[in-house]
């Protein structure tokens, strides 16, 4: 009887330990595309780490996660995090992971002073792509911009079906487009951003952390993420292998070719205040409701120890 009780006690202890280990996992939500690629090394090594990383497609799961506080850390478009923060979401911006990832593609040479086609197919209505496009093309006379696509992939598919159009896409879709259309013309909107603002980059994917998350936990995650992002840039071949094994929705060769063009670089929020606040002010001028009609206050920014 004593042996049975000891065995039962051992099983209970093991069960409790397993539960605690599971509870101790830091939950992370990441959108598919460049942000996911940037942290793929962490995801590949997830089983031996303290992170439980989940990938999703589209903005809706990210908005739902921030609203419900379902994850400890969420990587999401910068404006989404700011907008929900201004509506009392309990997440702070700790850093920016991806930048400058928007390109115009065309079957003929791209001249902003004389657009060749009658339609620009785009994605991201009411989000970062629309704001950047509206801001950068305001000084020109662009053709009608159709925002019916819900993603860069859909924008490209519509472009393939409409020969009298240009399209706005992002990596790694731009690299896919190059493989599908010989002689494709590509205009990187980051060049126009720098020309117009004198800033080298505009922020896209922010890293948002629960405001009550232990500061040491956050610091450890961000340090690891920064290292993973740098690894991605320096090792496209190995990174693309990670993504292939993790069943990313892009071919290995496409990911490898897209990485050098994807503006992956983690920066803490306090290192990038100038770029972030310029970006937020731009949104306020064009469509303020996208960030809650006001700039986030100073508590929006997570502070390093």
């Amino acid at each position: 009887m004593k042996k049975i009780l000891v065995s039962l006690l051992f099983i209970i202890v093991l069960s409790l330990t397993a539960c605690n280990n599971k509870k101790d996992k830091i939950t992370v939500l990441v959108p598919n595309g460049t942000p996911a690629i940037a942290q793929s090394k962490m995801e590949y090594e997830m089983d031996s780490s303290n992170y439980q990383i989940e990938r999703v497609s589209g903005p809706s799961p990210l908005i739902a996660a921030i609203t419900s506080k379902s994850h400890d850390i969420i990587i999401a478009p910068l404006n989404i995090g700011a907008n929900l923060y201004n509506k009392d979401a309990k997440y702070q911006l700790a850093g920016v992971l991806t930048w400058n990832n928007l390109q115009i593609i065309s079957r003929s040479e791209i001249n902003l002073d004389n657009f060749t086609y009658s339609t620009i197919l785009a994605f991201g209505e009411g989000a970062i792509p629309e704001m950047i496009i509206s801001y950068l093309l305001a000084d020109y006379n662009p053709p009608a911009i159709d925002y019916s696509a819900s993603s860069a992939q859909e924008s490209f598919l519509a472009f393939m079906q409409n020969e009298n159009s240009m399209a706005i896409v992002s990596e790694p879709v731009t690299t896919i487009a190059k493989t599908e259309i010989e002689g494709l013309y590509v205009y990187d909107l980051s060049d126009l951003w720098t020309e117009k603002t004198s800033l080298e980059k505009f922020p896209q994917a922010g890293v948002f952390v629960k405001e009550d998350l232990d500061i040491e936990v956050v610091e450890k995650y961000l340090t690891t993420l920064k290292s993973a992002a740098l690894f991605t840039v320096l090792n496209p071949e190995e990174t693309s292998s990670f993504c292939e094994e993790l069943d990313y929705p892009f071919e290995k060769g496409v990911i490898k070719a897209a990485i050098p063009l994807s503006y992956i670089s983690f920066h803490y929020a306090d290192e990038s205040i100038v770029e972030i606040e310029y970006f937020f002010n731009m949104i306020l001028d064009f469509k303020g409701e996208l960030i809650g009609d006001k700039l986030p206050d100073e508590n929006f920014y997570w502070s390093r120890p």
Side-chain angles (χ1 to χ4, degrees):
M1 183 68 178
K2 186 176 180 180
K3 288 183 178 179
I4 293 173
L5 289 173
V6 169
S7 297
L8 286 172
L9 182 61
F10 181 70
I11 290 170
I12 291 169
V13 169
L14 282 177
S15 299
L16 289 172
T17 302
C19 288
N20 285 335
N21 286 341
K22 185 176 181 181
K23 186 178 180 181
D24 288 342
K25 288 275 187 180
I26 303 303
T27 54
V28 183
L29 192 65
V30 185
N32 271 314
T34 303
I37 293 169
Q39 59 83 64
S40 59
K41 185 175 188 292
M42 292 179 68
E43 189 179 347
Y44 184 76
E45 297 171 347
M46 180 173 64
D47 291 342
S48 60
S49 72
N50 197 40
Y51 303 112
Q52 183 63 45
I53 300 170
E54 178 186 355
R55 276 182 286 118
V56 294
S57 295
S60 296
L62 302 172
I63 294 169
I66 294 175
T67 303
S68 66
K69 299 186 287 187
S70 61
H71 292 71
D72 297 310
I73 298 171
I74 299 171
I75 298 176
L78 209 64
N79 72 291
I80 287 178
N83 187 20
L84 294 177
Y85 174 84
N86 280 332
K87 295 176 181 177
D88 205 31
K90 304 300 182 181
Y91 285 83
Q92 295 174 299
L93 177 66
V96 179
L97 181 60
T98 62
W99 313 75
N100 289 35
N101 191 1
L102 285 174
Q103 299 85 35
I104 302 176
I105 58 173
S106 174
R107 294 176 178 85
S108 62
E109 190 170 357
I110 299 168
N111 181 350
L112 299 184
D113 293 311
N114 186 19
F115 285 93
T116 306
Y117 298 108
S118 60
T119 303
I120 298 178
L121 304 168
F123 69 104
E125 184 173 20
I128 288 176
E130 183 186 4
M131 294 302 94
I132 295 294
I133 294 162
S134 299
Y135 181 68
L136 293 181
L137 298 185
D139 295 334
Y140 301 92
N141 186 28
I145 301 177
D146 180 354
Y147 286 102
S148 57
S150 64
S151 66
Q153 292 94 321
E154 281 193 14
S155 181
F156 172 59
L157 289 174
F159 173 77
M160 291 291 285
Q161 296 165 11
N162 184 349
E163 292 194 357
N164 191 33
S165 69
M166 309 168 76
I168 293 176
V169 293
S170 60
E171 292 290 358
V173 173
T174 306
T175 295
I176 294 174
K178 290 176 185 175
T179 65
E180 295 285 335
I181 301 175
E182 186 176 354
L184 184 75
Y185 289 86
V186 178
Y187 184 94
D188 194 331
L189 287 175
S190 63
D191 297 333
L192 189 55
W193 176 267
T194 300
E195 179 184 320
K196 187 163 184 173
T197 67
S198 298
L199 297 173
E200 292 184 1
K201 55 188 184 291
F202 57 84
Q204 288 196 263
V207 182
F208 297 92
V209 301
K210 273 186 180 176
E211 62 180 20
D212 59 355
L213 200 58
D214 186 87
I215 197 166
E216 291 182 1
V217 170
V218 176
E219 180 66 18
K220 182 178 179 181
Y221 172 81
L222 296 177
T223 299
T224 308
L225 179 63
K226 186 179 180 74
S227 176
L230 181 59
F231 179 92
T232 297
V233 173
L234 297 178
N235 300 277
E237 175 70 39
E238 195 169 352
T239 298
S240 62
S241 295
F242 294 159
C243 296
E244 182 179 47
E245 291 191 43
L246 292 166
D247 294 323
Y248 275 44
F250 304 102
E251 292 182 3
K252 178 181 177 181
V254 167
I255 293 173
K256 178 183 174 182
I259 286 171
L261 307 170
S262 295
Y263 296 95
I264 294 168
S265 181
F266 175 80
H267 291 271
Y268 289 94
D270 60 10
E271 297 174 330
S272 308
I273 292 294
V274 172
E275 290 87 352
I276 293 168
E277 292 197 344
Y278 190 103
F279 178 73
F280 283 155
N281 277 296
M282 178 203 73
I283 293 177
L284 276 178
D285 289 341
F286 275 83
K287 193 175 284 189
E289 62 265 28
L290 291 180
I291 56 170
D293 289 314
K294 63 180 180 180
L295 292 176
D297 62 36
E298 62 182 15
N299 292 322
F300 173 65
Y301 299 97
W302 179 83
S303 297
R304 282 186 279 177

